[in-house]
Amino acid sequence: MVELNPDAAGPSRPGGTIEAPADLPTSETLRRLVAEIEGDDVSVDWLLGRLRQRAFGYALVLFALPSCLPMPPGIPTACGFVIALVSLQMIIGTDGLWLPQFLDRRRIGKATLERMVERASPWLKRLESVTRPRLRVMTGPVGSRLVGLLALLLAIIVMLPIPFVGNIPPAIATVVIGMGLTERDGLVVLVGLAVSAIALALCATFTVELVQLAWAWAFR
């Protein structure tokens, strides 16, 4: 496994590593990240290496964003798996974010990242306009462990093959939580917890209705 230590100083990747400035909003950090890409694609290792500072929050945002829109089967499962790994490390309280090498080496197209950031930026900017550092207990060690538990549950739901838009509500909730972590805003994290409760309720209701319809069709 390869460790990405958010507190380490200096380069830690071939070609150098640039930390995300602490005062930059998430949307601008992601925009600059995409602008730095040379070539047609980049590895997950490169992406997270560039976002060493506040890496847990950025990882939640990056890998939840694709599932906020209807996606082909397989993409929500892959993204949910990464979110689950990040969440487990938040629960454990690791000092740095690390992923298995087979995930670190996976490559993502620059065009895909550009579309994702372009579509998400207006919504991220709206959320950033009301964020500021506060309620640090929710973004500190204890709060991060509790948030990690919920993020793990959301990740499991994102991985499930729920048809139509079943993966979207928990992905949106994960983005809100990740934004709260990157912006050091505990109130936004709490909002993310509320959105998570709504998302879980919607998914449960939708699943029950789907099972009832399938049962009625099978035994009509």
Side-chain angles (χ1 to χ4, degrees), residues 18-86:
I18 300 175
E19 290 195 24
D23 57 344
L24 277 182
T26 302
S27 60
E28 179 62 17
T29 299
L30 295 179
R31 188 193 67 79
R32 292 191 181 191
L33 176 73
V34 173
E36 290 178 4
I37 296 175
E38 298 178 358
D40 296 329
D41 57 22
V42 291
S43 66
V44 172
D45 174 64
W46 186 92
L47 286 173
L48 294 182
R50 290 280 173 167
L51 298 173
R52 281 166 41 222
Q53 190 177 34
R54 298 177 289 177
F56 288 99
Y58 281 120
L60 291 179
V61 173
L62 268 176
F63 290 100
L65 278 176
S67 299
C68 289
L69 296 170
M71 285 288 170
I75 293 180
T77 301
C79 291
F81 180 68
V82 177
I83 294 171
L85 289 178
V86 174

Side-chain angles (χ1 to χ4, degrees), residues 2 36 52 60 63 94 100 104 111 153 155 164 179 187 193 198:
V2 178
E36 290 178 4
R52 281 166 41 222
L60 291 179
F63 290 100
T94 58
D104 262 345
L153 177 59
F164 307 115
M179 284 287 293
L187 182 58
L193 300 184
I198 296 172

Side-chain angles (χ1 to χ4, degrees), residues 11 64 88 158 161 170 173 176 181:
L88 285 171
V158 169
V176 175
L181 293 175

Side-chain angles (χ1 to χ4, degrees), residues 62-163:
L62 268 176
F63 290 100
L65 278 176
S67 299
C68 289
L69 296 170
M71 285 288 170
I75 293 180
T77 301
C79 291
F81 180 68
V82 177
I83 294 171
L85 289 178
V86 174
S87 302
L88 285 171
Q89 293 171 67
M90 292 173 65
I91 295 169
I92 296 171
T94 58
D95 293 330
L97 174 59
W98 45 261
L99 294 177
Q101 288 188 4
F102 77 91
L103 285 176
D104 262 345
R105 293 172 180 172
R106 291 293 296 271
R107 304 192 71 82
I108 303 175
K110 179 178 180 178
T112 300
L113 287 170
E114 286 177 331
R115 287 194 301 269
M116 183 179 72
V117 172
E118 181 180 356
R119 291 182 180 182
S121 287
W123 300 100
L124 295 180
K125 288 178 179 178
R126 289 189 181 96
L127 187 55
E128 289 163 356
S129 66
V130 298
T131 61
R132 64 178 185 273
R134 54 189 163 183
L135 292 178
R136 294 295 185 93
V137 66
M138 293 303 302
T139 59
V142 176
S144 293
R145 283 179 169 84
L146 296 176
V147 169
L149 285 169
L150 181 58
L152 178 60
L153 177 59
L154 294 172
I156 292 171
I157 297 176
V158 169
M159 285 189 287
L160 294 177
I162 304 176

